[in-house]
Every structure is written in structure tokens, then in C-alpha cells.
Amino acid sequence: MYRIMVADDSWLQRKKIGKFLQTNGFEVIEAVNGKDAVEKSGVDMPDCILLDLLMPEMDGIEVLRTFQQDGTSIPVIIFTADIQDTSRARCFELGATDFINKPIDQDKMLEAIQKILDIKGDKD
Amino acid sequence: MEYSTKKTSSFLEGIDNEMLAGFIAETLERLDGAEQLLLAIETDPETDDTINALFRVLHTIKGDAQVLAYEDMSDLADAAENILSLARNGEIILSGSPLNIIFDSISLLRRLTTSLKTAISEDKNLHSDPRVSALVSRIGKIALKKPRRKLGEILVESGHISNDVLAQALKQQQYESLEVETADQPYEADMFPEYEEGETAKLGKMIRIDSARLDHLLDAIGELRIVSSILYNDRKTMLTSSNETKNSISILEKITQNIMEVGGALRMTPIKSIFDKMFLLVHGLVKNIGKEIEFSVVGGDTELDRTLVEKIGDPLVHLLRNAIDHGIEKPSLRKTLSKNRKGMIQLKAFHEGGNVFIEVKDDGCGLDRDIILTKAIESGMVHPGEDLSDADIFNIIFNPGFSTVESVSVVSGRGVGMDIVKQKIMELQGDVEISTEKGVGTKISIRLPLTLAYIDGLIVRVGDERYIISSSLVVEVIRLNSDEQFLHSEDRSALNFRGSLIPLLNISNIFGIREDASKTTEYFAVVVECTGKVTALRVNAILGREQFVFKKLARILSKMQYISGTVIMADGCISFVLDIDRIIKGN
């Protein structure tokens, strides 16, 4: 079973997305802010991270930067509202794999995750 | 519940009531935080960190509202976010009307949240709120106001640089500002200095529990405790049981006591949430009346029973209003009195001797003893020539009769509604006292029990009946072994207590209990203090002191005088808890 991390400071977003992913057969772990995401990803080794940009403690950009510095290769999908092209470019530069706009279109999200997992290769 | 707004996007599917409830709880917390941030911005409108933090709050609320397709809320949050975005870019300064409009937005967002809550709990439709579009268009006007012209545009216009060069420079600037923005983590560090690093981590590990479930759990613990103490008390007389069983019963009793303590702690919550609201209230009140007030709060992390935290809000609002309206003088008057221009109001909470104390202290005009006394005599509450201490006189303001006397508040400083404050505090098994000095200030001190679920009680025997007296009210227990200590007149007795005479009330008379003369060879006096009055209660024996699960009297019994509730004793019998305040007053 694939393990997806949902990193968002909004409880509602975590629950909503988490529940949807669970019903689609994923294991879900939650992170309540960027710092939490960095800490937990080292321990729980998710196959993919859904990362919000605007969070307290450590924002999405800084999470990406930390991953890059640490050489963490977990694929990251940024999901955020009102994304400006400049920060989009910045995120890709820092190694983000994909982008989804909020409010999230569930099918698109599933598609993006699937694409990443296909690249990673099959896993039981 | 349905949204009457037309849009019920596909996303609303899969939102259950638990999610809505969680959203509501979290959003209300967020809005509390936003108000704190706003207050900080008001003192220093150009702190980027604070503006960023506030932006993030509104952004999150917008995102959540979009998930719920709650358009009113997402539109409003979006509009308010725009103002903050302008402020972040330095295009407007957050003071005056832009700041006020954010204040308004936050309070309307709160109302939207509570109406969503009502809609869910009453299973009603959620109607679109007309105030939202009005506020959004007000915000739009502010955002439209010509901002400062940007340097780049001026340069392009004058032909010094080309559009491409500008675009490139802007891009570079954006990256750099992103770097800066992420390099420091302003939010927790600067805004909430009292939160240690560990504290924030701890917050992340909190879980929400439905309060009804918690109450069920505590009820069950209470029942467990009763059964356990019955077993414990019977263990010695159990003929059949082995020593192991008896040991186990002792251990069971210890564990149960432990569970009871832990259970009680579950209900405890810091008073901070209410204190924070008071900040906002004081801020709002002072704004309009031309007084200068320095409001400070001490002991926000003092914990007490959740129910108490919820219910103490109204009385505190009342006391603070009084202090602001009537206590603190106008700056000009204060100056002539050679007081600091700024009035001081302090809200303080602390633990002492198994109680929680909350004080509202001001350095305003204080109460006028003579005016209160005159009014009290006029209204027939006090007989002229009656021997009253200052404390007695000031405590008159808590009397229901006094508050109705017209214009008292204007003359004496306060008094209006003090009886209601007192009544509310008494309902919470607490007590309120006042100390004041004319021209110097007033301190109102509220005493509350730590928890309402349990009572630490002294078990006394009167005749063949057992009664419970709340231990927190007991000052001392005295054995009455000779007639020297107490004086009788026809219907009154008094006790010589540490050199002063205090009333000695006979509990058996109050409840009409017949004492068996052959059994009652000795008496005890339980000295209690309540509302600043010290009184002794005469009982036949002191049987012990224990923690009980306290149950308020059922409504059909609520007319019973002098009884505040019941407890179940270790032998399974029910005993009444004495309502000391009413006993003192009624006798």
C-alpha cells in the first residue's frame, strides 16, 4: 500500500483529502506544518507528499529547500491557492514534482499522485 | 443542513458533520488568534511578521471555506486577504480604516462560523448573509484607493528603463523577498513569546474530544469511585474473602482515586481563552469613551474547570465594564488628582488553597462608603445607627435591593448589576469580595472551586443525619466542651472565636432535627467563612473528610432551602451538601 503524506495546517483540508485518499486505497499520514512534515517524512518515509505552501513554523518553500539540502528524494506535489507564476517556478527549481490548485479537484489530485507512483514503479 | 447558496460543488460530497464540527472549532480558534494579531498590528502597524501571520490565518480560512463551498466565508476571507496583501507589499498601511475593516471582517467571519454551527445543530438551511456583500464592497473601495505609485512604473514611463528590464528586476526582487521571507520564522517566536519551543510541539499533539463524552466518562468514574469505596469500607468485615482479595480491594481504591484525579484534570483548561477575549473587550470599550487605560493580564495559564471558564466570562465582562465606565476617571481629572493619566486595570488569576482566585483591580475612584451607607439606609436595607464595618458596607452593593436604587452607579462608582455578578459566582459555588478605598481604587476578588465535578467535603453528624460541608469554606473545627466558649440568648448563640464573637448556628434547629439527648454529650463548632462573614455551625460530630462526586439538586428539589446538592456516601447512602451562603444569610 502506498503511503501519502498530507501536509497542511488546516485540519479540514487534512481530513477531507485524507479521507478521500484512504477510500482510494492509500495509507495517509498527516503533518500539521512544514516542520512536522520534515520530521515525519524522515521517519515514516511516505511515497509522496502533498504539501501546502502557506504554513506556520516552516512554509512549503522551506520544506522543499530542506529536502534539497538533505538529498531527500520523496516526490512533492504542491497544493495551494492563488499561486503566482514566480513562486511556481521557484518551487520547481527546488524540486517540486507537480502543482495542484486549491480548492482541490479530487480527480486531478488522484491523477497527479498516480503519475508519480507510476514513475516510482509498482509496490505491493 | 443545506446551503441555500446555489453552489454545492462536487467537493461538498464527503464532508460529514465531524469535519464541519472540526472546521468550526478550528476556525474559531484561528479567529481568536487573528484578533490577537490585529491588536499587535494596531500598536505597530508595520510589523511584517505579524501581517504575514494574519495573512496566513485568513488564507487558511479561505481555503477551508472553499472546500465547504461556503461562499460567504470564502469571499469575505478573500477580500480581507487582499487588504493584507496590499499591506504586505507596502501599498497601504494597516491603520485607520483599513485596520478597522479587518477588525470588522474578523468579527463577521466569526458570526458566519457561528451561524454555520447553528445551522448544523438545528439542521436548518444556511442563508447567505447580506452583511458579507456590504463589507466586501467596502473592502473593495479601500483596495481601489490610489496606492502609492510604483518606482518601476515611473522609470518605464520616463523612458529610463524598458518593460523587459523591469520585469526581470521584479522577478529577481520576488525571489529575494521569498528568500528573506522564508529565512526567518517569525510567527511563534515573536508573537507568542510565552510559548516555549516544547509548548508548540505539545499543541500539535492535542486531540479534540466531544465534551458530552467527557462528561459521560466523568460520571462513570464517579460511579466507579462509589462502588470502590463501598468495597473498601466493607473489606474488613468480609468473612469469606482472602487476604489477597482484601489487598486487591485496597489497590483498587487507590487506583480509583488516581483515575478520579486524572479525570478531574481532563476538565481543566487555562483561563487564557477568556482573558484574551477580555483584552479585545477592553480595547473596544476604551476606544469610544475618551479614557486612557493600561490593561494588563496576569496568570492566563491558571487552569480551572472548563464549565467555569465558560461561565466566568459574563461576570468578568460586567466587572471590567464597571471598572472602565465608572472606576477609572477621565485623563484630565486624573491629572488634577496627580494620578497617572493612564488608568490601570489588571485582571489576575491564581491558585490558592484548592481554589482559583480571579481579581479585577483598578486604580480608579473607588467606592464612597458614606454614599453607599446613605443609600442603603434610604432604601431601608440598613437601619440607621447599625454597627457596620467598612467591609459590611461595601458588600451591600452585592445586595439585589441595592442595585435597583436609581443613579447609584453614577454617584458611587458602581453597583449596577453587582447582585447578578454575585449570583452567577454563587451558582458556580464561588464567592466574591470587594475591597476598595475612595480615590485609590477597587479590587474585586472572585473565588472559585477548581472543579465542579467533585467536592472535597467535611462529613458532619447532626442527630442521626449526616451532612457535607465544603472543606474550602471551613476555617476551623472546635470542640465545644464547656459553656464558657459560647453565649446564649433566647434564640441566638454566639461563639468566642479568637477573641471576637461570631454567630453560632444550630444545624439541628435549621433542619428541625431532633437530637437524642442521651447520645449528644458533646458538640463541635465548624467555623466557616463565606462572603467575608465568619460563622460557626453547631454539629454533633465530625465524621471525616472525603472527596465526593457532587451532583446538583434536581430541579424539582431546587426550592429546598439551605441545600446546594447531594453526594453519595461510601455506604451508598445519599447526603446533602449544605448551602453555607444561604444558611448564613437566612439565619
Side-chain angles (χ1 to χ4, degrees):
Chain A
M1 193 191 263
Y2 285 111
R3 187 181 286 169
I4 312 284
M5 173 187 280
V6 181
D8 195 317
D9 57 326
S10 157
W11 181 89
L12 182 71
Q13 303 272 7
R14 292 198 305 272
K15 290 292 163 235
K16 179 77 179 70
I17 294 166
K19 205 171 170 186
F20 173 74
L21 290 176
Q22 272 164 358
T23 51
N24 279 282
F26 292 103
E27 186 190 342
V28 175
I29 46 177
E30 295 178 10
V32 298
N33 56 43
K35 205 171 150 204
D36 198 27
V38 171
E39 280 165 10
K40 281 189 181 149
S41 59
V43 183
D44 296 327
M45 299 304 287
D47 296 292
C48 171
I49 300 176
L50 291 170
L51 185 68
D52 182 26
L53 272 192
L54 215 54
M55 288 185 288
E57 285 278 307
M58 210 182 187
D59 63 18
I61 296 275
E62 193 160 357
V63 172
L64 286 173
R65 187 180 293 125
T66 310
F67 281 165
Q68 203 174 44
Q69 279 162 6
D70 298 351
T72 308
S73 59
I74 305 169
V76 176
I77 301 175
I78 301 289
F79 66 123
T80 188
D82 313 324
I83 185 78
Q84 293 163 345
D85 285 344
T86 44
S87 40
R88 181 186 280 250
R90 181 78 178 134
C91 287
F92 279 129
E93 230 167 81
L94 286 168
T97 315
D98 210 342
F99 252 94
I100 314 175
N101 284 333
K102 272 187 188 173
I104 286 182
D105 179 326
Q106 295 184 331
D107 296 334
K108 274 191 187 156
M109 176 173 69
L110 216 52
E111 216 171 88
I113 294 173
Q114 210 56 56
K115 211 161 80 188
I116 284 171
L117 298 178
D118 285 347
I119 295 167
K120 271 183 79 116
D122 282 332
K123 184 178 169 183
D124 290 329
Chain B
M1 189 215 57
E2 268 169 50
Y3 295 107
S4 63
T5 46
K6 57 193 181 309
K7 201 167 161 190
T8 45
S9 85
S10 64
F11 224 93
L12 198 55
E13 289 165 28
I15 298 278
D16 52 29
N17 272 0
E18 193 208 337
M19 285 187 190
L20 285 171
F23 161 75
I24 289 165
E26 203 183 49
T27 304
L28 289 174
E29 269 170 35
R30 284 217 165 86
L31 291 170
D32 285 346
E35 278 164 350
Q36 291 298 307
L37 292 169
L38 267 178
L39 292 178
I41 290 174
E42 185 166 47
T43 21
D44 186 1
E46 298 199 60
T47 42
D48 289 346
D49 297 350
T50 324
I51 294 174
N52 282 336
L54 188 57
F55 180 87
R56 209 158 46 213
V57 170
L58 286 163
H59 188 79
T60 307
I61 291 175
K62 181 178 82 175
D64 282 4
Q66 283 170 345
V67 169
L68 299 176
Y70 191 179
E71 282 183 340
D72 271 359
M73 190 179 265
S74 58
D75 289 353
L76 181 56
D78 182 56
E81 191 192 296
N82 279 340
I83 295 282
L84 286 167
S85 185
L86 291 174
R88 269 210 310 196
N89 299 337
E91 288 171 35
I92 55 170
I93 293 191
L94 270 191
S95 62
S97 64
L99 183 70
N100 284 333
I101 216 158
I102 300 288
F103 264 111
D104 292 347
S105 304
I106 301 283
S107 72
L108 186 50
L109 282 171
R110 189 187 297 283
R111 279 198 214 113
L112 292 177
T113 315
T114 45
S115 43
L116 176 64
K117 192 175 173 185
T118 328
I120 295 166
S121 60
E122 293 171 11
D123 204 20
K124 276 188 195 152
N125 283 350
L126 184 65
H127 296 288
S128 174
D129 192 322
R131 286 171 298 190
V132 171
S133 54
L135 189 54
V136 167
S137 75
R138 251 175 78 204
I139 294 174
K141 276 176 203 148
I142 286 189
L144 270 180
K145 268 189 193 154
K146 208 67 185 153
R148 285 200 297 245
R149 286 194 69 196
K150 289 182 185 159
L151 185 61
E153 287 166 12
I154 297 170
L155 286 173
V156 172
E157 212 169 281
S158 62
H160 281 89
I161 59 169
S162 72
N163 260 324
D164 287 349
V165 174
L166 173 65
Q168 216 170 356
L170 282 176
K171 207 169 178 182
Q172 203 173 346
Q173 184 193 30
Q174 195 114 32
Y175 283 161
E176 274 158 15
S177 69
L178 265 176
E179 303 262 7
V180 173
E181 198 180 309
T182 51
D184 47 14
Q185 299 166 26
Y187 190 68
E188 269 74 12
D190 291 341
M191 275 315 299
F192 303 107
E194 70 266 40
Y195 287 164
E196 299 278 317
E197 185 73 10
E199 198 78 22
T200 5
K202 210 167 79 192
L203 286 175
K205 286 188 186 126
M206 294 216 170
I207 52 162
R208 288 176 211 287
I209 303 176
D210 181 356
S211 63
R213 279 192 202 164
L214 189 60
D215 289 342
H216 278 311
L217 174 70
L218 293 172
D219 274 350
I221 293 175
E223 306 291 330
L224 174 68
R225 162 86 180 139
I226 291 161
V227 176
S228 163
S229 25
I230 293 173
L231 275 178
Y232 184 73
N233 284 328
D234 287 354
R235 76 193 190 288
K236 283 185 182 140
T237 52
M238 284 180 197
L239 295 172
T240 52
S241 57
S242 64
N243 274 338
E244 279 81 24
T245 316
K246 286 176 185 168
N247 267 341
S248 302
I249 290 173
S250 297
I251 295 168
L252 173 70
E253 169 69 6
K254 280 218 177 72
I255 295 174
T256 315
Q257 273 186 17
N258 198 353
I259 293 179
M260 194 158 136
E261 274 164 31
V262 175
L266 286 180
R267 294 177 61 95
M268 304 297 269
T269 158
I271 200 165
K272 188 176 185 309
S273 55
I274 290 292
F275 276 14
D276 285 349
K277 291 210 174 74
M278 297 304 146
F279 246 108
L280 210 70
L281 171 98
V282 170
H283 173 86
L285 286 176
V286 171
K287 224 173 183 178
N288 303 322
I289 56 166
K291 288 184 184 174
E292 289 176 30
I293 289 170
E294 176 130 5
F295 181 58
S296 61
V297 161
V298 181
D301 49 5
T302 307
E303 289 195 329
L304 71 164
D305 195 288
R306 187 176 48 81
T307 324
L308 291 170
V309 172
E310 281 163 14
K311 294 197 171 151
I312 200 65
D314 286 350
L316 283 184
V317 168
H318 204 102
L319 294 177
L320 285 171
R321 259 179 209 279
N322 273 344
I324 294 166
D325 288 349
H326 311 305
I328 302 289
E329 312 89 338
K330 297 237 173 213
S332 50
L333 178 61
R334 288 181 69 89
K335 217 174 161 192
T336 59
L337 295 168
S338 59
K339 279 179 162 182
N340 195 333
R341 262 180 79 86
K342 271 193 171 181
M344 188 277 301
I345 297 180
Q346 191 189 58
L347 188 58
K348 183 177 171 189
F350 57 95
H351 282 164
E352 198 181 287
N355 289 302
V356 178
F357 287 85
I358 303 171
E359 291 177 356
V360 179
K361 198 165 85 180
D362 69 61
D363 68 346
C365 57
L367 291 189
D368 190 319
R369 179 188 182 280
D370 298 334
I371 294 177
I372 295 175
L373 189 58
T374 317
K375 288 278 173 189
I377 292 171
E378 272 174 27
S379 58
M381 286 156 51
V382 174
H383 301 293
E386 210 171 309
D387 183 27
L388 293 170
S389 69
D390 282 359
D392 286 337
I393 292 169
F394 293 132
N395 275 310
I396 293 176
I397 67 164
F398 292 116
N399 197 309
F402 189 76
S403 292
T404 57
V405 179
E406 248 176 279
S407 81
V408 157
S409 83
V410 185
V411 189
S412 71
R414 53 198 84 182
V416 171
M418 289 304 273
D419 58 322
I420 298 166
V421 169
K422 165 115 185 182
Q423 192 194 329
K424 287 217 167 145
I425 306 284
M426 298 297 295
E427 276 167 17
L428 302 173
Q429 297 174 49
D431 195 4
V432 55
E433 256 178 59
I434 184 166
S435 59
T436 175
E437 196 175 328
K438 193 181 170 189
V440 178
T442 303
K443 183 174 85 181
I444 296 195
S445 178
I446 298 171
R447 181 187 58 77
L448 291 171
L450 276 177
T451 171
L452 294 176
Y454 307 125
I455 179 172
D456 185 293
L458 194 69
I459 313 164
V460 299
R461 185 173 63 78
V462 181
D464 288 329
E465 304 286 330
R466 285 177 300 183
Y467 292 97
I468 308 298
I469 298 171
S470 170
S471 304
S472 61
L473 301 175
V474 175
V475 181
E476 201 171 317
V477 176
I478 303 166
R479 183 195 294 266
L480 299 171
N481 45 15
S482 73
D483 280 355
E484 285 161 32
Q485 276 169 315
F486 52 106
L487 310 160
H488 295 284
S489 69
E490 294 209 338
D491 55 345
R492 287 182 173 205
S493 309
L495 176 75
N496 184 355
F497 178 65
R498 291 180 190 160
S500 60
L501 281 183
I502 59 170
L504 178 64
L505 303 175
N506 194 341
I507 297 290
S508 57
N509 285 349
I510 292 170
F511 289 106
I513 298 164
R514 289 217 359 225
E515 290 175 26
D516 190 342
S518 64
K519 274 189 199 167
T520 46
T521 51
E522 57 178 5
Y523 294 104
F524 289 87
V526 179
V527 181
V528 289
E529 186 179 351
C530 190
T531 341
K533 286 198 172 110
V534 181
T535 304
L537 306 172
R538 199 184 79 167
V539 300
N540 294 125
I542 309 291
L543 300 177
R545 178 180 169 181
E546 232 176 280
Q547 281 239 317
F548 298 101
V549 179
F550 178 81
K551 297 273 179 204
K552 268 184 109 168
L553 276 189
R555 196 170 293 156
I556 46 165
L557 295 175
S558 63
K559 290 227 167 100
M560 277 182 70
Q561 255 189 319
Y562 309 139
I563 301 292
S564 63
T566 58
V567 299
I568 299 177
M569 309 284 285
D571 56 7
C573 295
I574 291 175
S575 281
F576 290 122
V577 179
L578 298 181
D579 187 338
I580 302 297
D581 183 58
R582 286 210 220 150
I583 288 178
I584 292 179
K585 276 202 194 123
N587 293 277

